[in-house]
Amino acid sequence: MLILLPPSESKTPAVRGSAVDWPSLSFPELNACRAKVLDALGTVSAHEDALALLGVGASLKDDVDRNTRLHAEPAAPAHRIYSGVLYDALGYKTLTAAQRRKADASVLVVSALWGVIRFGDSVPAYRLSMGTALPDVGRLASFWKPQLTGALAGAVEGQLLVDCRSSTYAAAWAPPAAQTVAVNVLTEVNGVRKVVSHFAKHTRGELARHLLVRRGKVPATPSELLKATREVWAAELVEGSARKPHALNIVLPG
């Protein structure tokens, strides 16, 4: 089983430490593409209109300034850099040593800058969204899609993929539909269901944690994932097709 996560918009910069060690990153075949994106991001971030070009507000100026120094910025494991609602709910710090090893092996973070990394990969904090277009790179989802398809082919073979990504990051890679389950979070009030956003992030983080800490057999099929999910939540499985992944709908009370 592999759990696919989006990065968090908010990140916690490393205070000290070495810069990113490129050869140590997972999927090193992506390093040339990573370097191209990083260089383009640095150029854009140094522009006088950087905030507008990156689609962020003035409160994030320090984050954008940091983008110009990413080759030298201190790096830390991804599970420390990424913060926010989903990652708080996952709670990596509170996992046991065995559960952390499981998380390091099972979690893949799809990133606008790095393409895809594992939890143990050390990277600097950065500010970049998958929906951004960069000079000489183009829209990042389109740039990464063929690269990730090739790089991840071996890693995902025979694995159940629990897809907790947002639509922005799902656009960067379409995993094999037959072995993929996209996680949706809904609320239901008086029989009427609505898609939620903030609670979706929190619940996806909780689901990832549940799958990492629960005892017993690791889910290997969509039906086994549904059974594991129902240990905590009301949920249903919508069967996929040859081109459309399965959908796991977690239904929260309104």
Side-chain angles (χ1 to χ4, degrees):
M1 177 190 69
L2 292 173
I3 303 171
L4 308 179
L5 298 182
S8 58
E9 290 185 9
S10 58
K11 300 174 182 68
T12 303
V15 176
R16 61 181 65 86
S18 302
V20 61
D21 178 28
W22 294 80
S24 72
L25 295 176
S26 300
F27 310 103
E29 62 270 34
L30 294 175
N31 279 348
C33 292
R34 290 163 171 161
K36 183 174 182 178
V37 175
L38 188 147
D39 288 344
L41 176 60
T43 298
V44 167
S45 299
H47 195 278
E48 61 180 7
D49 294 329
L51 298 179
L53 293 171
L54 293 174
V56 300
S59 63
L60 298 175
K61 185 180 183 303
D62 288 346
D63 290 359
V64 173
D65 288 344
R66 187 184 303 110
N67 286 344
T68 67
R69 309 186 300 267
L70 292 180
H71 279 295
E73 280 290 299
H79 59 77
R80 285 172 46 194
I81 294 294
Y82 294 121
S83 51
V85 174
L86 188 154
Y87 288 88
D88 287 347
L90 191 153
Y92 185 94
K93 289 182 180 179
T94 63
L95 298 177
T96 66
Q99 291 164 352
R100 290 181 183 183
R101 288 192 295 270
K102 186 176 180 180
D104 292 347
S106 302
V107 173
L108 298 179
V109 181
V110 176
S111 161
L113 176 55
W114 307 106
V116 63
I117 54 176
R118 295 186 185 273
F119 254 5
D121 289 334
S122 287
V123 295
Y126 61 95
R127 173 60 61 165
L128 182 64
S129 169
M130 189 65 81
T132 303
L134 294 176
D136 300 322
V137 174
R139 193 156 297 278
L140 288 164
S142 300
F143 174 80
W144 282 117
K145 194 166 188 177
Q147 309 301 330
L148 299 187
T149 299
L152 291 170
V156 305
E157 186 175 359
Q159 299 275 6
L160 174 68
L161 304 176
V162 183
D163 194 350
C164 295
R165 296 175 297 168
S166 61
S167 59
T168 302
Y169 287 86
W173 175 53
Q179 64 197 74
T180 303
V181 182
V183 178
N184 302 315
V185 183
L186 314 170
T187 58
E188 183 171 329
V189 180
N190 298 325
V192 178
R193 292 184 176 182
K194 294 182 179 180
V195 176
V196 295
S197 55
H198 178 82
F199 286 117
K201 293 179 181 179
H202 181 80
T203 303
R204 286 169 177 156
E206 288 186 322
L207 175 63
R209 180 182 179 87
H210 176 61
L211 295 174
L212 294 171
V213 304
R214 66 185 292 274
R215 297 177 181 237
K217 181 183 176 184
V218 174
T221 66
S223 59
E224 290 177 1
L225 174 63
L226 175 64
K227 184 177 180 180
T229 303
R230 283 178 169 171
E231 293 167 356
V232 180
W233 297 275
E236 61 189 24
L237 183 70
V238 180
E239 296 293 330
S241 64
R243 300 183 64 181
K244 186 177 181 180
H246 308 275
L248 177 69
N249 293 333
I250 297 177
V251 183
L252 306 177

